[in-house]
Amino acid sequence: MQAIYDVLIVGGGHAGLSAALTLGRARKKVLLVDGGPGRNQAADAVHNFLSQDGTPPPVLRKLGREQLEPYQTVTYTEGRVSELVRRGNQFWARLEDGKEILSLAVLLAVGMVDEHPRIEGFERFWGKSVFGCPYCHAWEFRDQPIAVIESSSKGLGACRILKNWSNDVMLFTNGVTDLDPEALDRLEKAGGAVIIKKRVRAFVGDTALSAVELEDGEKIPREAVLMFPKQHQMPIVQQLSLDLTEDGFVRVNEQRETSQRNIFAAGDLTSPSQLAIIAAAEGTIAAIQLVYRFTP
């Protein structure tokens, strides 16, 4: 027999857990399928999350799962959704353990896949002294030398923002020499930044980052690096053929519904604004819309 749910939530991070909480409190029958550690698993702590600032990511997720326990209409399971297709007004899904389920709606909360650059030491420092969000991690490196590694004009804007935390900011363009003149002018007005156009070969340090090593072997002392690795959608999202933005994020409306009716999305897969508290809010917004939609 196939179990039938109001909502299948794919992804057990901040967006998925928040949505499950709201739906559970509305007495909707929910299956949350958690495919494993989130994108922020490597970070020491979650920041900018009211009442939870400084909480390690696994601890925050564990707390979220525990707070679902009183709601008997919410089922949590670990695993992955291997197949997901629309069947009339319902969705059929097969989990990796072979279990089949039906749902009236789907909420995708699976995040994005980060493509790690070919820089020696990246994996060792990623999420700690090498990070992708200044609002999440720059405070820990205030008044210290910081590098921005970015080849587009986005790097110039990042240097301006980092001036809130440090006056010692360097931009490494990783081999790119033609920078946007207007963005350069804005950066100069904000206090400027040293620009290094050579390619980056490695991140150097023992327990913490101490330098950025260039292709010619020169080591530039830096305590932290801000960079923006390329990202792509998870396979489960790709197979659904949803409309994407020019930047590759799932296109949603204000209620978090995608281009396909009754498929919603929340969290990192929909926006470059990838903070935990934003993902949680988006999960709640989607859940409220789902409650309205499936109230007789």
Side-chain angles (χ1 to χ4, degrees):
M1 294 289 292
Q2 296 173 329
I4 301 178
Y5 296 89
D6 293 313
V7 182
L8 166 64
I9 300 176
V10 187
H14 310 296
L17 289 168
S18 293
L21 180 62
T22 300
L23 290 164
R25 290 183 58 81
R27 306 177 75 180
K28 295 302 179 185
K29 189 175 181 182
V30 176
L31 175 64
L32 189 156
V33 182
D34 186 354
R39 287 184 55 241
N40 63 356
Q41 182 74 8
D44 292 327
V46 173
H47 293 290
N48 285 315
F49 202 116
L50 185 63
S51 81
Q52 297 296 327
D53 189 62
T55 302
V59 174
L60 187 55
R61 288 168 69 105
K62 181 174 182 291
L63 178 61
R65 294 192 296 269
E66 291 173 349
Q67 292 184 346
L68 293 178
E69 292 175 1
Y71 305 102
Q72 297 179 354
T73 60
V74 176
T75 301
Y76 171 89
T77 186
E78 295 181 352
R80 293 183 181 273
V81 176
S82 56
E83 296 180 73
L84 178 60
V85 296
R86 185 188 297 272
R87 288 185 176 176
N89 294 326
Q90 296 179 327
F91 294 91
W92 171 88
R94 186 195 305 275
L95 308 188
E96 62 182 359
D97 63 2
K99 181 180 179 181
E100 299 180 10
I101 67 109
L102 293 173
S103 67
L104 301 179
V106 173
L107 173 58
L108 300 170
V110 293
M112 294 285 278
V113 179
D114 290 313
E115 300 176 10
H116 291 187
R118 294 181 179 179
I119 297 177
E120 183 181 330
F122 176 86
E123 285 78 8
R124 185 152 55 97
F125 296 114
W126 177 240
K128 299 175 175 61
S129 46
V130 178
F131 51 84
C133 173
Y135 301 100
C136 303
H137 301 291
W139 191 87
E140 281 67 36
F141 298 96
R142 61 199 182 279
D143 301 322
Q144 298 182 38
I146 302 176
V148 175
I149 300 179
E150 175 59 40
S151 301
S152 72
S153 59
K154 183 177 181 179
L156 297 168
C159 288
R160 287 179 55 231
I161 291 297
L162 282 173
K163 291 291 184 177
N164 288 286
W165 292 278
S166 175
N167 289 321
D168 186 355
V169 178
M170 287 185 175
L171 173 62
F172 295 74
T173 65
N174 212 16
V176 173
T177 58
D178 53 334
L179 300 174
D180 180 10
E182 292 185 4
L184 278 170
D185 183 61
R186 289 194 297 271
L187 177 59
E188 183 64 28
K189 290 178 180 178
V194 175
I195 298 176
I196 297 176
K197 298 179 181 179
K198 296 177 182 178
R199 291 190 177 277
V200 174
R201 192 190 74 80
F203 296 139
V204 180
D206 295 324
T207 57
L209 181 74
S210 62
V212 173
E213 182 177 338
L214 304 178
E215 58 187 345
D216 59 5
E218 181 183 5
K219 294 182 176 66
I220 309 296
R222 297 288 95 181
E223 299 293 323
V225 171
L226 172 64
M227 62 187 307
F228 310 100
K230 292 181 180 179
Q231 299 178 323
H232 63 261
Q233 295 288 345
M234 294 283 286
I236 191 66
V237 177
Q238 295 177 14
Q239 79 175 51
L240 292 171
S241 300
L242 303 172
D243 286 353
L244 304 179
T245 67
E246 292 181 358
D247 296 326
F249 297 102
V250 174
R251 190 181 301 279
V252 294
N253 60 21
E254 292 182 357
Q255 290 74 40
R256 317 306 302 171
E257 190 167 17
T258 70
S259 56
Q260 296 189 30
R261 183 169 175 78
N262 291 336
I263 300 181
F264 290 71
D268 293 356
L269 76 164
T270 67
S271 170
S273 299
Q274 297 175 341
L275 278 72
I277 198 165
I278 293 177
E282 291 174 352
T284 300
I285 291 170
I288 290 172
Q289 179 63 24
L290 285 161
V291 172
Y292 273 107
R293 180 158 301 178
F294 296 110
T295 298

